[in-house]
Amino acid sequence: MSVSVRRLHPLFVGEVSGVDLREPLRAADIAAIHEAMDSHGLLVFHDQAMTPEQQREMTRQFGVLELGFARVAGKHAATATRPPRTGYAEVADMSNLGTDNRPVDRTDRKIVGNMANQLWHSDSSFQQPAARYSLLLAVHLPSWGGETEFCDLRAAYDELDPRMKATVEGLEAEHYALHSRIMLGDDEYSEEARSVFPPVTWPIVRTHPGSKRKLLYIGVHARRVLGMTVAEGRVLLMDLLEHATQPRFVYRHTWRPGDLVMWDNRATLHRGRRWDMNEVRELRRTTTADVDGPA
Ligand SMILES: [Fe+2]
Protein backbone atom coordinates (compact mmCIF):
# COMPACT_ATOMS: atom_id res chain seq x y z
CA MET A 1 0.00 0.00 0.00
CA SER A 2 1.09 3.56 -0.54
CA VAL A 3 -0.37 6.90 0.46
CA SER A 4 -3.37 8.05 -1.55
CA VAL A 5 -5.40 11.19 -0.93
CA ARG A 6 -9.00 12.08 -1.74
CA ARG A 7 -10.08 15.77 -1.62
CA LEU A 8 -12.94 16.37 0.86
CA HIS A 9 -13.64 20.08 0.25
CA PRO A 10 -13.47 22.27 -2.87
CA LEU A 11 -10.52 24.26 -1.50
CA PHE A 12 -8.54 22.05 0.87
CA VAL A 13 -8.62 18.92 3.09
CA GLY A 14 -7.43 15.49 2.03
CA GLU A 15 -8.61 12.10 3.29
CA VAL A 16 -5.68 9.71 3.37
CA SER A 17 -5.75 5.98 2.89
CA GLY A 18 -3.04 3.37 2.48
CA VAL A 19 -1.04 4.22 5.57
CA ASP A 20 -0.95 2.93 9.14
CA LEU A 21 0.60 5.65 11.28
CA ARG A 22 1.34 3.17 14.08
CA GLU A 23 3.96 1.48 11.93
CA PRO A 24 7.32 3.10 11.16
CA LEU A 25 6.80 5.04 7.94
CA ARG A 26 8.87 4.66 4.82
CA ALA A 27 10.76 7.76 3.68
CA ALA A 28 8.62 7.84 0.54
CA ASP A 29 5.40 7.88 2.60
CA ILE A 30 6.68 10.68 4.84
CA ALA A 31 7.61 12.70 1.78
CA ALA A 32 4.19 12.04 0.24
CA ILE A 33 2.45 13.20 3.43
CA HIS A 34 4.51 16.43 3.57
CA GLU A 35 3.64 17.07 -0.06
CA ALA A 36 -0.05 16.38 0.58
CA MET A 37 0.04 18.74 3.57
CA ASP A 38 1.43 21.51 1.35
CA SER A 39 -1.36 21.12 -1.18
CA HIS A 40 -4.34 20.19 1.05
CA GLY A 41 -3.50 22.11 4.28
CA LEU A 42 -4.96 19.33 6.42
CA LEU A 43 -5.22 15.58 6.21
CA VAL A 44 -7.69 13.14 7.76
CA PHE A 45 -6.54 9.63 8.66
CA HIS A 46 -9.15 7.12 9.88
CA ASP A 47 -8.76 4.10 12.20
CA GLN A 48 -5.51 5.17 13.85
CA ALA A 49 -6.25 4.49 17.55
CA MET A 50 -2.88 4.55 19.32
CA THR A 51 -1.25 5.09 22.69
CA PRO A 52 0.26 8.44 23.70
CA GLU A 53 3.71 6.92 23.29
CA GLN A 54 2.91 5.73 19.77
CA GLN A 55 1.57 9.18 18.91
CA ARG A 56 4.72 10.84 20.21
CA GLU A 57 7.01 8.53 18.25
CA MET A 58 4.89 8.79 15.11
CA THR A 59 4.95 12.60 15.27
CA ARG A 60 8.75 12.68 15.57
CA GLN A 61 8.89 11.37 12.01
CA PHE A 62 7.36 14.64 10.80
CA GLY A 63 9.46 17.15 12.71
CA VAL A 64 10.67 18.48 16.04
CA LEU A 65 8.13 18.05 18.84
CA GLU A 66 7.03 21.20 20.65
CA LEU A 67 5.22 21.79 23.94
CA GLY A 68 3.16 24.92 23.24
CA PHE A 69 0.95 26.00 26.09
CA ALA A 70 2.08 23.09 28.29
CA ARG A 71 5.13 25.18 29.11
CA VAL A 72 3.00 27.66 31.01
CA ALA A 73 0.96 25.00 32.81
CA GLY A 74 3.71 24.30 35.30
CA LYS A 75 3.75 27.97 36.21
CA HIS A 76 -0.01 28.18 36.61
CA ALA A 77 -1.08 27.96 40.22
CA ALA A 78 -4.15 25.87 39.38
CA THR A 79 -2.31 23.26 37.33
CA ALA A 80 1.20 23.16 38.79
CA THR A 81 0.64 19.98 40.74
CA ARG A 82 -1.09 18.04 37.96
CA PRO A 83 1.01 15.58 35.94
CA PRO A 84 -0.05 15.37 32.28
CA ARG A 85 -2.88 12.83 31.93
CA THR A 86 -1.22 11.39 28.84
CA GLY A 87 2.01 10.66 30.71
CA TYR A 88 4.07 12.72 28.25
CA ALA A 89 4.57 16.48 28.20
CA GLU A 90 4.73 16.32 24.38
CA VAL A 91 1.27 14.73 24.15
CA ALA A 92 -1.26 17.36 25.13
CA ASP A 93 -4.42 16.21 26.86
CA MET A 94 -7.25 17.90 24.96
CA SER A 95 -9.99 16.58 27.19
CA ASN A 96 -12.43 17.79 29.80
CA LEU A 97 -11.31 15.05 32.19
CA GLY A 98 -9.70 15.36 35.61
CA THR A 99 -7.17 13.02 37.17
CA ASP A 100 -10.05 10.76 38.21
CA ASN A 101 -10.97 10.31 34.51
CA ARG A 102 -14.32 12.02 35.01
CA PRO A 103 -15.44 15.30 33.40
CA VAL A 104 -14.25 18.19 35.54
CA ASP A 105 -16.74 20.64 36.96
CA ARG A 106 -17.62 23.40 34.47
CA THR A 107 -16.14 25.95 36.88
CA ASP A 108 -12.76 24.15 36.81
CA ARG A 109 -10.02 26.31 35.33
CA LYS A 110 -9.18 23.54 32.88
CA ILE A 111 -12.41 24.40 31.09
CA VAL A 112 -10.96 27.78 30.14
CA GLY A 113 -8.55 25.96 27.83
CA ASN A 114 -11.46 24.06 26.29
CA MET A 115 -13.29 27.35 25.79
CA ALA A 116 -10.25 29.12 24.29
CA ASN A 117 -9.94 26.23 21.83
CA GLN A 118 -13.42 27.09 20.57
CA LEU A 119 -12.10 30.40 19.21
CA TRP A 120 -10.43 30.50 15.78
CA HIS A 121 -6.67 30.15 16.15
CA SER A 122 -3.42 28.80 14.78
CA ASP A 123 -1.65 26.68 17.39
CA SER A 124 1.25 28.43 19.12
CA SER A 125 1.16 31.50 16.86
CA PHE A 126 2.05 33.26 20.12
CA GLN A 127 5.59 31.93 20.06
CA GLN A 128 8.62 31.97 17.82
CA PRO A 129 8.99 29.39 16.37
CA ALA A 130 5.25 28.72 16.16
CA ALA A 131 3.68 25.33 15.43
CA ARG A 132 3.97 23.75 12.00
CA TYR A 133 1.82 20.62 12.19
CA SER A 134 -0.71 19.66 14.86
CA LEU A 135 -1.86 16.04 15.04
CA LEU A 136 -5.10 15.49 16.91
CA LEU A 137 -6.33 12.01 17.74
CA ALA A 138 -9.94 11.30 18.78
CA VAL A 139 -10.19 8.95 21.77
CA HIS A 140 -13.65 9.45 23.35
CA LEU A 141 -16.35 11.56 21.80
CA PRO A 142 -19.56 13.11 23.13
CA SER A 143 -22.95 12.07 21.74
CA TRP A 144 -23.38 15.43 19.98
CA GLY A 145 -21.23 18.41 18.97
CA GLY A 146 -17.50 18.65 19.65
CA GLU A 147 -16.59 18.81 15.96
CA THR A 148 -13.51 20.72 14.85
CA GLU A 149 -13.75 23.35 12.12
CA PHE A 150 -10.91 24.50 9.89
CA CYS A 151 -10.61 27.41 7.48
CA ASP A 152 -8.27 27.83 4.52
CA LEU A 153 -6.11 30.96 5.01
CA ARG A 154 -4.70 30.72 1.48
CA ALA A 155 -8.09 30.82 -0.22
CA ALA A 156 -9.11 33.58 2.20
CA TYR A 157 -6.14 35.67 1.03
CA ASP A 158 -6.83 34.95 -2.63
CA GLU A 159 -10.38 36.23 -2.31
CA LEU A 160 -9.60 39.43 -0.43
CA ASP A 161 -10.74 42.62 -2.09
CA PRO A 162 -7.71 44.16 -3.93
CA ARG A 163 -7.88 47.26 -1.72
CA MET A 164 -7.79 45.04 1.36
CA LYS A 165 -4.79 43.17 -0.05
CA ALA A 166 -3.02 46.52 -0.41
CA THR A 167 -4.05 47.53 3.13
CA VAL A 168 -2.64 44.44 4.83
CA GLU A 169 0.53 44.05 2.73
CA GLY A 170 3.55 44.65 4.95
CA LEU A 171 1.55 44.87 8.20
CA GLU A 172 2.59 42.93 11.29
CA ALA A 173 0.42 41.71 14.16
CA GLU A 174 1.42 41.02 17.75
CA HIS A 175 0.35 37.59 19.07
CA TYR A 176 0.15 36.89 22.80
CA ALA A 177 -0.37 33.50 24.47
CA LEU A 178 -2.75 34.64 27.18
CA HIS A 179 -4.80 37.06 25.08
CA SER A 180 -7.65 34.65 24.34
CA ARG A 181 -7.79 33.46 27.96
CA ILE A 182 -7.73 36.96 29.39
CA MET A 183 -10.48 37.85 26.92
CA LEU A 184 -12.51 34.97 28.41
CA GLY A 185 -12.06 36.36 31.92
CA ASP A 186 -9.19 34.09 32.99
CA ASP A 187 -6.72 36.77 33.99
CA GLU A 188 -5.14 35.60 37.24
CA TYR A 189 -1.66 34.88 35.96
CA SER A 190 1.49 35.62 37.93
CA GLU A 191 4.19 37.79 36.44
CA GLU A 192 6.24 34.62 36.07
CA ALA A 193 3.51 32.88 34.06
CA ARG A 194 3.03 35.98 31.91
CA SER A 195 6.75 36.13 31.20
CA VAL A 196 6.89 32.55 29.86
CA PHE A 197 5.48 33.72 26.54
CA PRO A 198 6.49 37.26 25.65
CA PRO A 199 4.45 38.59 22.71
CA VAL A 200 5.79 37.90 19.22
CA THR A 201 5.08 39.59 15.91
CA TRP A 202 4.25 37.98 12.58
CA PRO A 203 3.49 39.45 9.19
CA ILE A 204 -0.25 39.33 8.51
CA VAL A 205 0.47 38.26 4.93
CA ARG A 206 2.88 35.34 4.67
CA THR A 207 3.98 33.07 1.85
CA HIS A 208 3.80 29.36 2.60
CA PRO A 209 7.25 27.86 1.99
CA GLY A 210 5.81 24.60 0.61
CA SER A 211 2.94 25.72 -1.60
CA LYS A 212 4.39 29.23 -2.27
CA ARG A 213 0.85 30.55 -1.78
CA LYS A 214 0.16 33.78 0.07
CA LEU A 215 -2.05 33.50 3.14
CA LEU A 216 -3.52 35.51 6.01
CA TYR A 217 -1.77 34.60 9.26
CA ILE A 218 -4.34 35.71 11.83
CA GLY A 219 -6.45 34.21 14.65
CA VAL A 220 -7.45 34.93 18.21
CA HIS A 221 -3.89 35.09 19.56
CA ALA A 222 -3.34 38.29 17.51
CA ARG A 223 -4.10 41.23 19.78
CA ARG A 224 -2.85 44.31 17.94
CA VAL A 225 -1.42 45.55 14.67
CA LEU A 226 1.90 47.35 14.78
CA GLY A 227 1.68 50.98 13.72
CA MET A 228 -2.06 51.21 14.46
CA THR A 229 -4.02 52.11 17.56
CA VAL A 230 -5.19 49.05 19.51
CA ALA A 231 -8.77 49.82 18.44
CA GLU A 232 -8.02 50.18 14.72
CA GLY A 233 -5.81 47.08 14.74
CA ARG A 234 -8.35 44.93 16.54
CA VAL A 235 -11.15 45.94 14.23
CA LEU A 236 -8.95 45.12 11.23
CA LEU A 237 -8.06 41.73 12.74
CA MET A 238 -11.73 41.02 13.46
CA ASP A 239 -12.67 41.98 9.88
CA LEU A 240 -10.01 39.68 8.47
CA LEU A 241 -11.10 36.83 10.74
CA GLU A 242 -14.72 37.29 9.72
CA HIS A 243 -13.68 37.20 6.07
CA ALA A 244 -11.46 34.11 6.46
CA THR A 245 -14.09 32.10 8.32
CA GLN A 246 -16.96 32.48 5.88
CA PRO A 247 -18.65 29.13 5.25
CA ARG A 248 -17.08 28.67 1.81
CA PHE A 249 -13.61 28.63 3.38
CA VAL A 250 -14.56 26.24 6.22
CA TYR A 251 -14.45 22.46 6.58
CA ARG A 252 -16.14 20.88 9.59
CA HIS A 253 -14.68 17.59 10.79
CA THR A 254 -17.13 15.28 12.53
CA TRP A 255 -14.92 12.96 14.55
CA ARG A 256 -14.98 9.19 14.75
CA PRO A 257 -12.94 7.41 17.42
CA GLY A 258 -9.51 6.67 15.98
CA ASP A 259 -9.55 9.62 13.56
CA LEU A 260 -6.29 11.47 13.42
CA VAL A 261 -6.34 14.88 11.79
CA MET A 262 -3.07 16.54 10.90
CA TRP A 263 -3.18 20.22 9.97
CA ASP A 264 -0.72 22.86 8.89
CA ASN A 265 -0.92 25.81 11.28
CA ARG A 266 0.71 28.01 8.64
CA ALA A 267 -2.16 27.49 6.20
CA THR A 268 -5.28 27.01 8.33
CA LEU A 269 -7.09 28.18 11.45
CA HIS A 270 -9.24 25.87 13.55
CA ARG A 271 -11.70 25.85 16.43
CA GLY A 272 -13.50 23.20 18.44
CA ARG A 273 -17.28 23.29 18.58
CA ARG A 274 -19.66 23.23 21.50
CA TRP A 275 -20.70 20.00 23.23
CA ASP A 276 -22.34 18.98 26.49
CA MET A 277 -19.48 19.32 28.96
CA ASN A 278 -21.07 16.76 31.26
CA GLU A 279 -20.08 14.23 28.60
CA VAL A 280 -16.54 13.03 27.96
CA ARG A 281 -14.63 14.51 25.05
CA GLU A 282 -11.06 13.29 24.91
CA LEU A 283 -8.55 14.00 22.19
CA ARG A 284 -4.75 14.01 22.29
CA ARG A 285 -2.55 16.41 20.42
CA THR A 286 1.05 16.35 19.35
CA THR A 287 2.67 19.29 17.63
CA THR A 288 5.78 19.98 15.59
CA ALA A 289 7.71 23.24 15.77
CA ASP A 290 7.95 25.33 12.62
CA VAL A 291 11.66 24.76 12.26
CA ASP A 292 13.68 22.78 9.79
CA GLY A 293 15.41 20.04 11.71
CA PRO A 294 15.68 16.30 12.11
CA ALA A 295 12.56 14.63 10.77
FE1 LIG B 1 -5.68 24.46 18.66
Side-chain angles (χ1 to χ4, degrees), residues 123-142:
D123 288 333
S124 295
S125 73
F126 49 74
Q127 64 181 21
Q128 169 72 273
R132 181 175 295 179
Y133 297 157
S134 293
L135 297 86
L136 190 58
L137 173 74
V139 182
H140 290 107
L141 298 167

Side-chain angles (χ1 to χ4, degrees), residues 192-206:
E192 191 191 8
R194 287 172 192 263
S195 69
V196 173
F197 291 105
V200 299
T201 59
W202 294 106
I204 290 178
V205 179
R206 296 173 73 187

Side-chain angles (χ1 to χ4, degrees), residues 46-117:
H46 299 293
D47 304 317
Q48 304 289 335
M50 66 180 83
T51 65
E53 185 176 9
Q54 283 177 311
Q55 187 173 350
R56 186 181 64 162
E57 296 311 305
M58 178 272 291
T59 304
R60 277 193 211 285
Q61 299 172 102
F62 295 104
V64 178
L65 291 165
E66 74 112 21
L67 292 177
F69 203 77
R71 278 201 281 145
V72 85
K75 308 219 183 296
H76 187 310
T79 56
T81 57
R82 292 182 190 170
R85 282 188 67 256
T86 63
Y88 300 95
E90 306 93 337
V91 184
D93 170 33
M94 311 302 284
S95 80
N96 61 335
L97 300 175
T99 48
D100 60 355
N101 287 326
R102 294 162 59 90
V104 297
D105 189 86
R106 60 204 314 131
T107 60
D108 190 289
R109 208 166 177 184
K110 178 169 184 162
I111 293 295
V112 176
N114 280 278
M115 290 285 142
N117 285 333

